[in-house]
Amino acid sequence: ARLLVGTDAGIGVVAPGSSLHDELAEFVAAGIPVYRTLRAATIDAAGFLERPDLGVVRPGARADLLLLEANPLTD
């Protein structure tokens, strides 16, 4: 089964932003590898929404890009 990261943000009891971080942490706590968790929140979610312009880093794609000094797969 395909797993996707998402939240119910906007229904009043779920905080936008931080709830997504909580969801990511829950996936990893459940034993899903970090790489698969990040895919579920990016390219896999974009594919489910049929939005090839999201979830990728390439010319012409919509993106909010976060650059880190750390490796998100290990930290």
Side-chain angles (χ1 to χ4, degrees), residues 4 8 36 38 41 50 53 56 69:
L4 302 174
D8 292 327
R36 292 296 311 150
L38 292 173
E50 298 179 356
D53 60 320
V56 295
E69 290 184 20

Side-chain angles (χ1 to χ4, degrees), residues 36-58:
R36 292 296 311 150
T37 297
L38 292 173
R39 275 192 63 98
T42 55
I43 191 137
D44 292 348
F48 175 78
L49 296 172
E50 298 179 356
R51 294 287 309 267
D53 60 320
L54 299 177
V56 295
V57 178
R58 70 169 176 245

Side-chain angles (χ1 to χ4, degrees), residues 19-37:
S19 60
L20 182 62
H21 292 268
D22 295 341
E23 177 102 358
L24 293 167
E26 291 293 335
F27 268 54
V28 174
I32 298 167
V34 174
Y35 174 78
R36 292 296 311 150
T37 297

